[in-house]
Structure formats: C-alpha cells, structure tokens
Amino acid sequence: MAAKPGIPKGTRDFSPVEMAKRNYIFNTIRDVYHLYGFQQIETPSMEMLSTLMGKYGEEGDKLLFKIQNSGDYFSGITDEELLSRNAAKLASKFCEKGLRYDLTVPFARYVVMHRDEITFPFKRYQIQPVWRADRPQKGRYREFYQCDADVVGSDSLLNEVELMQIVDTVFTRFGIRVCIKINNRKILTGIAEIIGEADKIVDITVAIDKLDKIGLENVNKELAEKGISDEAIAKLQPIILLSGTNAEKLATLKSVLSGSETGLKGVEESEFILNTLQTMGLKNEIELDLTLARGLNYYTGAIFEVKALDVQIGSITGGGRYDNLTGVFGMAGVSGVGISFGADRIFDVLNQLELYPKEAVNGTQLLFINFGEKEAAFSMGILAKARAAGIRAEIFPDAAKMKKQMSYANVKNIPFVAIVGENEMNEGKVMLKNMENGEQQLVTSDELIAALTK
C-alpha cells in the first residue's frame, strides 16, 4: 500500500468550515481597517535575502526559510568550501531568496521602491501568510497569516492612539476579552543607560521579552551570560517588576529615569498615548508593562502586545513604532508605526471560546433535491431566482436516492431543503422543509425567498 501523504510540521490544512471561520476573522479585521482609512496592498511571498537579513536580530535571521537557487547552484563554489560544511556560508551561496518572515520589512521595501507613487502619510494594510523556521508548538506555526496595518510618513502619536482603538474595536467585535500591553523602547533604552549597560540594550530587551515564557530566574541567568554585571541585573529587578496603576508606574519612571533624556522622552510618549486613550472609552484594559520588549531590533518608540484573558496562548497581536526601517533601504527620515493581528492564534482562541456567530460558519442555506431531468430543470429556474436574492443555494447534481441527498444536507448543516416532485411542478410550487424542526410547507418561489431572507 502506498504511504499516506503528509504535510510539513507547523503547517495545516483547513476544511470548508474552518475556512469560513478564517474568512470571518479576515473580514472583521478588514472592515475595521477600512473604518480607519487604511488601503490594501500585497507583496510577493519571497523576497531577496538581502532585503530580509539583518532586520530581525540574530535570532530572527536563523528563522528565515531560505529558497535554494534554481539551476547549477554549485557553480562558483570551491571544493574547499563544500568540504568545510559551513551551513551558513554555503546557504549564502546557494540561496538568494527567502520566504518573508513578516509583512513589515517587505512593506518598508515597498515604500522605498514606490516612493514616487505614494501619498504620505501612507496608511496600508496587508493580509498575507508569513513563514518562520521555528519549532512548532501550540499556537506557534511555521506558516501563518498576519493582518498588518501601518502608517508611514507621520511622527504623530495620534497614529499610535488610533491603532490601539483598532485593536480594541476588533477584539470587541470578536467578543474576546484582552489586555492591551504597551511599553516604549526609549524607556528600555533609558533603563539600560541608568543601570550602566547602554551598549547592551539589545541583549537586555531580548532577555526580558522572554519573562512570561522562562521566568525571572532564567531571564537573569541569560542577562549574566550576555556579560551584564550582577550590579546592573540587581538594579534591573525593581524596574522589571514595577506594579501599580499606569499613572503610578509613569510617576515612578519619571523619577527613576530623571537622568536619562531618552528614557524621559519614552515616558512622555507613553503618557500621551495612555491619557488620550483614557478619554476614548476603550472596552478592553490597557496596561503599561515594562517587561514588554518585542525582541525585534527595528522598534524605536511605542511597542504593543495583546494577550487574551480567557485562554492560555501567546501574544495574539503586536506592533510598534519604527523610525529607521526604510533607512536601511536608502530612504532615511520616514517614520512608521504598525500593528499585526496573528490570525492563526485568533482562530484558535475563537475556537476554544466558541465565539463564532452562527451566520459566520453557515454555508449553503438551501438545497434543491434532484428527482430527475424534468424536476431539475424546474428547480433551476427557482434556484437562479433564489441566488439573485442573495440566498446561498445549490442543487444536488445527480438524481440519487432521497436518503443520500438528505444525508448530504445534514452533513453540510444546510438548514432548508426544497423538494420538487410532479405534484409540486403541477402547482408551480416547492415543498420547503426546515431541517432543524422537520416542518414542511408548500410555497411559491416568492414565498420561499421571503422565508429564507427574513
């Protein structure tokens, strides 16, 4: 017997029902983006590795899926290089392209390439898959969708405020209770300065970003391994574990960071965002969280992360301000800020909490039973009329046994079945059966449409 086919670890197939659920997620997010004036673009699945490498930090670079060159990729490689078995060096010769790791770096490349066609500030959204060579686990996949929104060409903090409103609106529509966490990379830079480890800001942020996953003891161990002094680690503890209301945290930070101009700037930005949002009547909690670091190197200002309150799962949305991203592509001075909804994790959360509205996952509303050529021909006219009225309808293609056709309707959760036999045709009507309660009534085509479009 032939071996059963499989798919790569960290990827998934999606059934029609699952796709209906996913489309509900994408459409909800898309509708909210449109409310705030964002326009959609798409970029290729693969980018040049020169575009991707060096934008996500050392750890991110390791997670890039590289695409082997076509043709004779051994040409230009010496026997010595082959025998060295240096995977990283050989990959740089074998591979010029890679699958995109996120949508932000390709977006920065897009902005630089199309700068003469873009009106700034440019508000774009993008809903496409990304790939990471990560270890698959619950809520973490190698292929997954992101739903990004970014504003480039504006320094205004009102952009951050509106993005947090978008997050709040989306999760309110989904019915998911969340905590929106906010921090600022300038605050983290200020902390690094006052503990005497300004040059280790990347190591510090990468380590404390793992606090939720590995715990304080292991974070401290990682900091020590990166060469950060015991004295600096000790100074870091009360800052990382700072508690109280947002206003109390900001007041403490103003005092603690009084010797850091950069740190105070971060506090000022956070205070504006939080105070403005307080007047907007958000439905979800927003919290200043100093352990939030978002390990990506390109963030320079406000950073965000969203946690679901009723399900144990990682971040389901994240983002932040990046002032220098387009600079690496030769276009300096363009500030940007963005968010990314993790559609696959949201999918899992909605499944666990059973929050999908019934209409989001319903497919066909009406099935016409096929008794033969004449009956099918009669049904097709009414079927066309039903579809024109917006009713999702189909006819069973074969004149199969009634039991088989009714079973098809049950398996597909089709709520109504139209039965057309000789008697119905003589009267120019249809027997409409409600599959939920078994009730049947003889109706005209107009009555059928009225019953299903209530």
Side-chain angles (χ1 to χ4, degrees), residues 359-388:
E359 60 273 16
V361 294
N362 278 350
T364 302
Q365 296 167 274
L366 174 66
L367 173 71
F368 281 82
I369 298 296
N370 185 345
F371 286 125
E373 200 173 313
K374 284 186 199 170
E375 291 86 353
F378 179 89
S379 298
M380 289 296 284
I382 302 171
L383 177 61
K385 201 172 173 183
R387 285 172 176 159

PDB file of all heavy atoms in Angstrom, residues 359-388:
ATOM      1  N   GLU A 359     -24.002  32.629  11.805  1.00  0.00           N
ATOM      2  CA  GLU A 359     -24.046  33.006  10.386  1.00  0.00           C
ATOM      3  C   GLU A 359     -22.663  33.035   9.745  1.00  0.00           C
ATOM      4  O   GLU A 359     -22.527  32.960   8.521  1.00  0.00           O
ATOM      5  CB  GLU A 359     -24.745  34.364  10.198  1.00  0.00           C
ATOM      6  CG  GLU A 359     -24.109  35.544  10.907  1.00  0.00           C
ATOM      7  CD  GLU A 359     -24.596  35.726  12.351  1.00  0.00           C
ATOM      8  OE1 GLU A 359     -25.188  34.790  12.909  1.00  0.00           O
ATOM      9  OE2 GLU A 359     -24.361  36.816  12.893  1.00  0.00           O
ATOM     10  N   ALA A 360     -21.608  33.130  10.585  1.00  0.00           N
ATOM     11  CA  ALA A 360     -20.244  33.189  10.026  1.00  0.00           C
ATOM     12  C   ALA A 360     -19.802  31.847   9.466  1.00  0.00           C
ATOM     13  O   ALA A 360     -18.983  31.790   8.557  1.00  0.00           O
ATOM     14  CB  ALA A 360     -19.265  33.644  11.104  1.00  0.00           C
ATOM     15  N   VAL A 361     -20.324  30.751  10.017  1.00  0.00           N
ATOM     16  CA  VAL A 361     -19.857  29.432   9.585  1.00  0.00           C
ATOM     17  C   VAL A 361     -20.889  28.677   8.748  1.00  0.00           C
ATOM     18  O   VAL A 361     -20.620  27.581   8.273  1.00  0.00           O
ATOM     19  CB  VAL A 361     -19.435  28.563  10.804  1.00  0.00           C
ATOM     20  CG1 VAL A 361     -18.218  29.160  11.475  1.00  0.00           C
ATOM     21  CG2 VAL A 361     -20.557  28.419  11.811  1.00  0.00           C
ATOM     22  N   ASN A 362     -22.062  29.273   8.594  1.00  0.00           N
ATOM     23  CA  ASN A 362     -23.075  28.625   7.750  1.00  0.00           C
ATOM     24  C   ASN A 362     -22.690  28.764   6.284  1.00  0.00           C
ATOM     25  O   ASN A 362     -22.335  29.840   5.825  1.00  0.00           O
ATOM     26  CB  ASN A 362     -24.457  29.252   7.966  1.00  0.00           C
ATOM     27  CG  ASN A 362     -25.132  28.667   9.192  1.00  0.00           C
ATOM     28  OD1 ASN A 362     -24.655  27.694   9.752  1.00  0.00           O
ATOM     29  ND2 ASN A 362     -26.237  29.256   9.603  1.00  0.00           N
ATOM     30  N   GLY A 363     -22.797  27.673   5.553  1.00  0.00           N
ATOM     31  CA  GLY A 363     -22.510  27.707   4.126  1.00  0.00           C
ATOM     32  C   GLY A 363     -23.801  27.818   3.345  1.00  0.00           C
ATOM     33  O   GLY A 363     -24.503  28.823   3.399  1.00  0.00           O
ATOM     34  N   THR A 364     -24.133  26.756   2.651  1.00  0.00           N
ATOM     35  CA  THR A 364     -25.356  26.715   1.846  1.00  0.00           C
ATOM     36  C   THR A 364     -26.593  26.831   2.748  1.00  0.00           C
ATOM     37  O   THR A 364     -26.687  26.173   3.774  1.00  0.00           O
ATOM     38  CB  THR A 364     -25.412  25.396   1.058  1.00  0.00           C
ATOM     39  OG1 THR A 364     -24.240  25.311   0.243  1.00  0.00           O
ATOM     40  CG2 THR A 364     -26.635  25.323   0.171  1.00  0.00           C
ATOM     41  N   GLN A 365     -27.537  27.665   2.329  1.00  0.00           N
ATOM     42  CA  GLN A 365     -28.782  27.824   3.088  1.00  0.00           C
ATOM     43  C   GLN A 365     -29.888  26.904   2.579  1.00  0.00           C
ATOM     44  O   GLN A 365     -30.774  26.518   3.333  1.00  0.00           O
ATOM     45  CB  GLN A 365     -29.275  29.276   2.986  1.00  0.00           C
ATOM     46  CG  GLN A 365     -28.358  30.312   3.614  1.00  0.00           C
ATOM     47  CD  GLN A 365     -28.773  31.705   3.180  1.00  0.00           C
ATOM     48  OE1 GLN A 365     -28.362  32.190   2.143  1.00  0.00           O
ATOM     49  NE2 GLN A 365     -29.617  32.349   3.980  1.00  0.00           N
ATOM     50  N   LEU A 366     -29.834  26.593   1.285  1.00  0.00           N
ATOM     51  CA  LEU A 366     -30.947  25.884   0.651  1.00  0.00           C
ATOM     52  C   LEU A 366     -30.421  24.863  -0.356  1.00  0.00           C
ATOM     53  O   LEU A 366     -29.601  25.194  -1.205  1.00  0.00           O
ATOM     54  CB  LEU A 366     -31.858  26.895  -0.060  1.00  0.00           C
ATOM     55  CG  LEU A 366     -33.007  26.362  -0.907  1.00  0.00           C
ATOM     56  CD1 LEU A 366     -34.044  25.664  -0.025  1.00  0.00           C
ATOM     57  CD2 LEU A 366     -33.655  27.489  -1.708  1.00  0.00           C
ATOM     58  N   LEU A 367     -30.901  23.615  -0.222  1.00  0.00           N
ATOM     59  CA  LEU A 367     -30.546  22.561  -1.179  1.00  0.00           C
ATOM     60  C   LEU A 367     -31.799  22.097  -1.919  1.00  0.00           C
ATOM     61  O   LEU A 367     -32.806  21.756  -1.295  1.00  0.00           O
ATOM     62  CB  LEU A 367     -29.913  21.372  -0.446  1.00  0.00           C
ATOM     63  CG  LEU A 367     -29.656  20.136  -1.320  1.00  0.00           C
ATOM     64  CD1 LEU A 367     -28.521  20.385  -2.298  1.00  0.00           C
ATOM     65  CD2 LEU A 367     -29.387  18.901  -0.467  1.00  0.00           C
ATOM     66  N   PHE A 368     -31.741  22.088  -3.242  1.00  0.00           N
ATOM     67  CA  PHE A 368     -32.819  21.518  -4.050  1.00  0.00           C
ATOM     68  C   PHE A 368     -32.546  20.035  -4.275  1.00  0.00           C
ATOM     69  O   PHE A 368     -31.462  19.662  -4.734  1.00  0.00           O
ATOM     70  CB  PHE A 368     -32.912  22.227  -5.408  1.00  0.00           C
ATOM     71  CG  PHE A 368     -33.609  23.552  -5.346  1.00  0.00           C
ATOM     72  CD1 PHE A 368     -32.933  24.693  -4.951  1.00  0.00           C
ATOM     73  CD2 PHE A 368     -34.959  23.656  -5.664  1.00  0.00           C
ATOM     74  CE1 PHE A 368     -33.579  25.919  -4.894  1.00  0.00           C
ATOM     75  CE2 PHE A 368     -35.616  24.870  -5.610  1.00  0.00           C
ATOM     76  CZ  PHE A 368     -34.934  26.017  -5.217  1.00  0.00           C
ATOM     77  N   ILE A 369     -33.503  19.210  -3.902  1.00  0.00           N
ATOM     78  CA  ILE A 369     -33.400  17.769  -4.135  1.00  0.00           C
ATOM     79  C   ILE A 369     -33.610  17.506  -5.636  1.00  0.00           C
ATOM     80  O   ILE A 369     -34.453  18.125  -6.272  1.00  0.00           O
ATOM     81  CB  ILE A 369     -34.460  17.007  -3.310  1.00  0.00           C
ATOM     82  CG1 ILE A 369     -34.230  17.239  -1.805  1.00  0.00           C
ATOM     83  CG2 ILE A 369     -34.427  15.512  -3.628  1.00  0.00           C
ATOM     84  CD1 ILE A 369     -32.928  16.702  -1.256  1.00  0.00           C
ATOM     85  N   ASN A 370     -32.824  16.597  -6.179  1.00  0.00           N
ATOM     86  CA  ASN A 370     -32.878  16.281  -7.617  1.00  0.00           C
ATOM     87  C   ASN A 370     -33.550  14.913  -7.818  1.00  0.00           C
ATOM     88  O   ASN A 370     -32.979  13.877  -7.487  1.00  0.00           O
ATOM     89  CB  ASN A 370     -31.445  16.275  -8.170  1.00  0.00           C
ATOM     90  CG  ASN A 370     -31.390  16.069  -9.670  1.00  0.00           C
ATOM     91  OD1 ASN A 370     -32.368  15.651 -10.289  1.00  0.00           O
ATOM     92  ND2 ASN A 370     -30.237  16.363 -10.248  1.00  0.00           N
ATOM     93  N   PHE A 371     -34.788  14.933  -8.379  1.00  0.00           N
ATOM     94  CA  PHE A 371     -35.504  13.680  -8.643  1.00  0.00           C
ATOM     95  C   PHE A 371     -35.361  13.221 -10.100  1.00  0.00           C
ATOM     96  O   PHE A 371     -35.805  12.144 -10.467  1.00  0.00           O
ATOM     97  CB  PHE A 371     -36.997  13.839  -8.320  1.00  0.00           C
ATOM     98  CG  PHE A 371     -37.276  13.864  -6.841  1.00  0.00           C
ATOM     99  CD1 PHE A 371     -37.979  14.915  -6.266  1.00  0.00           C
ATOM    100  CD2 PHE A 371     -36.850  12.825  -6.023  1.00  0.00           C
ATOM    101  CE1 PHE A 371     -38.247  14.933  -4.906  1.00  0.00           C
ATOM    102  CE2 PHE A 371     -37.118  12.843  -4.657  1.00  0.00           C
ATOM    103  CZ  PHE A 371     -37.811  13.898  -4.096  1.00  0.00           C
ATOM    104  N   GLY A 372     -34.785  14.065 -10.945  1.00  0.00           N
ATOM    105  CA  GLY A 372     -34.649  13.691 -12.356  1.00  0.00           C
ATOM    106  C   GLY A 372     -34.553  14.908 -13.241  1.00  0.00           C
ATOM    107  O   GLY A 372     -34.563  16.060 -12.778  1.00  0.00           O
ATOM    108  N   GLU A 373     -34.509  14.671 -14.547  1.00  0.00           N
ATOM    109  CA  GLU A 373     -34.243  15.734 -15.518  1.00  0.00           C
ATOM    110  C   GLU A 373     -35.303  16.837 -15.496  1.00  0.00           C
ATOM    111  O   GLU A 373     -34.981  18.025 -15.442  1.00  0.00           O
ATOM    112  CB  GLU A 373     -34.189  15.101 -16.920  1.00  0.00           C
ATOM    113  CG  GLU A 373     -33.457  15.955 -17.934  1.00  0.00           C
ATOM    114  CD  GLU A 373     -33.282  15.236 -19.258  1.00  0.00           C
ATOM    115  OE1 GLU A 373     -32.875  14.053 -19.256  1.00  0.00           O
ATOM    116  OE2 GLU A 373     -33.588  15.862 -20.283  1.00  0.00           O
ATOM    117  N   LYS A 374     -36.596  16.449 -15.505  1.00  0.00           N
ATOM    118  CA  LYS A 374     -37.682  17.446 -15.522  1.00  0.00           C
ATOM    119  C   LYS A 374     -37.688  18.268 -14.237  1.00  0.00           C
ATOM    120  O   LYS A 374     -37.820  19.490 -14.262  1.00  0.00           O
ATOM    121  CB  LYS A 374     -39.047  16.742 -15.669  1.00  0.00           C
ATOM    122  CG  LYS A 374     -39.347  16.241 -17.060  1.00  0.00           C
ATOM    123  CD  LYS A 374     -40.782  15.713 -17.057  1.00  0.00           C
ATOM    124  CE  LYS A 374     -40.990  14.783 -18.253  1.00  0.00           C
ATOM    125  NZ  LYS A 374     -42.267  14.084 -18.154  1.00  0.00           N
ATOM    126  N   GLU A 375     -37.613  17.548 -13.125  1.00  0.00           N
ATOM    127  CA  GLU A 375     -37.645  18.223 -11.818  1.00  0.00           C
ATOM    128  C   GLU A 375     -36.450  19.185 -11.665  1.00  0.00           C
ATOM    129  O   GLU A 375     -36.590  20.294 -11.136  1.00  0.00           O
ATOM    130  CB  GLU A 375     -37.630  17.199 -10.685  1.00  0.00           C
ATOM    131  CG  GLU A 375     -38.897  16.361 -10.562  1.00  0.00           C
ATOM    132  CD  GLU A 375     -38.892  15.132 -11.465  1.00  0.00           C
ATOM    133  OE1 GLU A 375     -37.963  14.998 -12.298  1.00  0.00           O
ATOM    134  OE2 GLU A 375     -39.806  14.305 -11.324  1.00  0.00           O
ATOM    135  N   ALA A 376     -35.269  18.723 -12.134  1.00  0.00           N
ATOM    136  CA  ALA A 376     -34.064  19.556 -12.033  1.00  0.00           C
ATOM    137  C   ALA A 376     -34.228  20.818 -12.879  1.00  0.00           C
ATOM    138  O   ALA A 376     -33.865  21.924 -12.450  1.00  0.00           O
ATOM    139  CB  ALA A 376     -32.830  18.767 -12.470  1.00  0.00           C
ATOM    140  N   ALA A 377     -34.791  20.676 -14.083  1.00  0.00           N
ATOM    141  CA  ALA A 377     -34.988  21.826 -14.968  1.00  0.00           C
ATOM    142  C   ALA A 377     -35.933  22.845 -14.320  1.00  0.00           C
ATOM    143  O   ALA A 377     -35.705  24.059 -14.377  1.00  0.00           O
ATOM    144  CB  ALA A 377     -35.543  21.359 -16.307  1.00  0.00           C
ATOM    145  N   PHE A 378     -37.024  22.347 -13.694  1.00  0.00           N
ATOM    146  CA  PHE A 378     -37.968  23.229 -12.994  1.00  0.00           C
ATOM    147  C   PHE A 378     -37.266  23.940 -11.826  1.00  0.00           C
ATOM    148  O   PHE A 378     -37.422  25.145 -11.611  1.00  0.00           O
ATOM    149  CB  PHE A 378     -39.146  22.390 -12.482  1.00  0.00           C
ATOM    150  CG  PHE A 378     -40.184  23.179 -11.728  1.00  0.00           C
ATOM    151  CD1 PHE A 378     -41.252  23.781 -12.390  1.00  0.00           C
ATOM    152  CD2 PHE A 378     -40.104  23.313 -10.340  1.00  0.00           C
ATOM    153  CE1 PHE A 378     -42.205  24.512 -11.691  1.00  0.00           C
ATOM    154  CE2 PHE A 378     -41.056  24.034  -9.635  1.00  0.00           C
ATOM    155  CZ  PHE A 378     -42.114  24.636 -10.317  1.00  0.00           C
ATOM    156  N   SER A 379     -36.476  23.166 -11.074  1.00  0.00           N
ATOM    157  CA  SER A 379     -35.780  23.705  -9.892  1.00  0.00           C
ATOM    158  C   SER A 379     -34.761  24.774 -10.263  1.00  0.00           C
ATOM    159  O   SER A 379     -34.559  25.738  -9.517  1.00  0.00           O
ATOM    160  CB  SER A 379     -35.073  22.578  -9.141  1.00  0.00           C
ATOM    161  OG  SER A 379     -35.999  21.631  -8.659  1.00  0.00           O
ATOM    162  N   MET A 380     -34.093  24.602 -11.422  1.00  0.00           N
ATOM    163  CA  MET A 380     -33.017  25.528 -11.797  1.00  0.00           C
ATOM    164  C   MET A 380     -33.519  26.962 -11.945  1.00  0.00           C
ATOM    165  O   MET A 380     -32.799  27.912 -11.607  1.00  0.00           O
ATOM    166  CB  MET A 380     -32.363  25.076 -13.113  1.00  0.00           C
ATOM    167  CG  MET A 380     -31.524  23.815 -13.000  1.00  0.00           C
ATOM    168  SD  MET A 380     -30.081  23.999 -11.929  1.00  0.00           S
ATOM    169  CE  MET A 380     -29.000  24.927 -13.010  1.00  0.00           C
ATOM    170  N   GLY A 381     -34.757  27.146 -12.426  1.00  0.00           N
ATOM    171  CA  GLY A 381     -35.317  28.493 -12.555  1.00  0.00           C
ATOM    172  C   GLY A 381     -35.490  29.154 -11.200  1.00  0.00           C
ATOM    173  O   GLY A 381     -35.143  30.327 -11.013  1.00  0.00           O
ATOM    174  N   ILE A 382     -36.033  28.385 -10.237  1.00  0.00           N
ATOM    175  CA  ILE A 382     -36.250  28.922  -8.884  1.00  0.00           C
ATOM    176  C   ILE A 382     -34.903  29.129  -8.190  1.00  0.00           C
ATOM    177  O   ILE A 382     -34.698  30.102  -7.454  1.00  0.00           O
ATOM    178  CB  ILE A 382     -37.156  27.979  -8.059  1.00  0.00           C
ATOM    179  CG1 ILE A 382     -38.489  27.785  -8.786  1.00  0.00           C
ATOM    180  CG2 ILE A 382     -37.382  28.541  -6.656  1.00  0.00           C
ATOM    181  CD1 ILE A 382     -39.372  26.711  -8.180  1.00  0.00           C
ATOM    182  N   LEU A 383     -33.966  28.218  -8.453  1.00  0.00           N
ATOM    183  CA  LEU A 383     -32.617  28.309  -7.873  1.00  0.00           C
ATOM    184  C   LEU A 383     -31.942  29.613  -8.298  1.00  0.00           C
ATOM    185  O   LEU A 383     -31.349  30.319  -7.468  1.00  0.00           O
ATOM    186  CB  LEU A 383     -31.785  27.102  -8.336  1.00  0.00           C
ATOM    187  CG  LEU A 383     -30.317  27.014  -7.907  1.00  0.00           C
ATOM    188  CD1 LEU A 383     -30.194  26.942  -6.398  1.00  0.00           C
ATOM    189  CD2 LEU A 383     -29.665  25.778  -8.526  1.00  0.00           C
ATOM    190  N   ALA A 384     -32.056  29.963  -9.582  1.00  0.00           N
ATOM    191  CA  ALA A 384     -31.453  31.199 -10.090  1.00  0.00           C
ATOM    192  C   ALA A 384     -32.078  32.418  -9.413  1.00  0.00           C
ATOM    193  O   ALA A 384     -31.389  33.380  -9.054  1.00  0.00           O
ATOM    194  CB  ALA A 384     -31.628  31.285 -11.604  1.00  0.00           C
ATOM    195  N   LYS A 385     -33.388  32.351  -9.222  1.00  0.00           N
ATOM    196  CA  LYS A 385     -34.118  33.456  -8.580  1.00  0.00           C
ATOM    197  C   LYS A 385     -33.679  33.614  -7.109  1.00  0.00           C
ATOM    198  O   LYS A 385     -33.506  34.727  -6.611  1.00  0.00           O
ATOM    199  CB  LYS A 385     -35.625  33.149  -8.659  1.00  0.00           C
ATOM    200  CG  LYS A 385     -36.514  34.361  -8.522  1.00  0.00           C
ATOM    201  CD  LYS A 385     -37.967  33.977  -8.820  1.00  0.00           C
ATOM    202  CE  LYS A 385     -38.897  35.137  -8.526  1.00  0.00           C
ATOM    203  NZ  LYS A 385     -40.304  34.780  -8.736  1.00  0.00           N
ATOM    204  N   ALA A 386     -33.505  32.463  -6.421  1.00  0.00           N
ATOM    205  CA  ALA A 386     -33.067  32.478  -5.016  1.00  0.00           C
ATOM    206  C   ALA A 386     -31.669  33.082  -4.897  1.00  0.00           C
ATOM    207  O   ALA A 386     -31.403  33.908  -4.018  1.00  0.00           O
ATOM    208  CB  ALA A 386     -33.100  31.063  -4.449  1.00  0.00           C
ATOM    209  N   ARG A 387     -30.768  32.660  -5.791  1.00  0.00           N
ATOM    210  CA  ARG A 387     -29.395  33.200  -5.756  1.00  0.00           C
ATOM    211  C   ARG A 387     -29.385  34.696  -6.046  1.00  0.00           C
ATOM    212  O   ARG A 387     -28.616  35.449  -5.442  1.00  0.00           O
ATOM    213  CB  ARG A 387     -28.520  32.464  -6.767  1.00  0.00           C
ATOM    214  CG  ARG A 387     -28.132  31.058  -6.316  1.00  0.00           C
ATOM    215  CD  ARG A 387     -27.436  30.296  -7.410  1.00  0.00           C
ATOM    216  NE  ARG A 387     -26.977  28.978  -6.965  1.00  0.00           N
ATOM    217  CZ  ARG A 387     -26.707  27.973  -7.787  1.00  0.00           C
ATOM    218  NH1 ARG A 387     -26.858  28.129  -9.107  1.00  0.00           N
ATOM    219  NH2 ARG A 387     -26.282  26.817  -7.318  1.00  0.00           N
ATOM    220  N   ALA A 388     -30.246  35.127  -6.968  1.00  0.00           N
ATOM    221  CA  ALA A 388     -30.322  36.562  -7.290  1.00  0.00           C
ATOM    222  C   ALA A 388     -30.774  37.365  -6.072  1.00  0.00           C
ATOM    223  O   ALA A 388     -30.435  38.540  -5.926  1.00  0.00           O
ATOM    224  CB  ALA A 388     -31.287  36.788  -8.460  1.00  0.00           C
TER     225      ALA A 388
END
